[in-house]
Amino acid sequence: MPEEVDAMVARRSTIETAKEDAGLIIDVAKQLEAKTKISTRDTFGQILYKHREDPSLQTDAHRAVANDLQWVVEPDQAQDVLEMVTTVFRELTRGKQGMMHSRHWMKAMELMLANPV
């Protein structure tokens, strides 16, 4: 599968390749779920939320899905959790132009998994 993923990343996705690409992306997410115990739903929720400002997610049909935080918490708690996450991220990346090294990200993930919200 790594070769298939490399090939998909190297080419431009089109309407003709969408079904194949989606299947490959789902397969990768399922493998990630099996290795990390992070659900596919959570993975896709995080990806959509991270890229929520992308023009392709700004249409009415997609905006609500991209901004949906149900993969984190119940809807009535979403704003509080978002504020906490934003604060933690800003603290972890202070003085680093909003960037985080992968080892710091892995440590943050380890702490979050040990003590989920």
Side-chain angles (χ1 to χ4, degrees), residues 47-99:
I47 292 166
L48 287 170
Y49 189 78
K50 177 178 173 46
H51 297 285
R52 69 190 179 280
E53 300 297 326
D54 189 87
S56 65
L57 296 174
Q58 293 303 304
T59 64
D60 290 341
H62 300 109
R63 187 179 300 117
V65 173
N67 288 318
D68 186 348
L69 293 174
Q70 288 184 41
W71 53 273
V72 180
V73 293
E74 295 299 319
D76 62 329
Q77 299 171 333
Q79 190 59 40
D80 292 338
V81 170
L82 185 57
E83 288 173 11
M84 287 188 288
V85 169
T86 300
T87 299
V88 169
F89 181 80
R90 284 187 181 139
E91 288 299 315
L92 290 172
T93 61
R94 187 184 326 172
K96 300 173 185 126
Q97 292 84 35
M99 302 296 287

Side-chain angles (χ1 to χ4, degrees), residues 1-11 24-25 27-28 31:
M1 183 178 308
E3 297 85 19
E4 294 167 309
V5 172
D6 288 343
M8 182 186 74
V9 170
R11 67 172 160 71
L24 187 56
I25 291 166
D27 288 345
V28 169
Q31 287 185 17

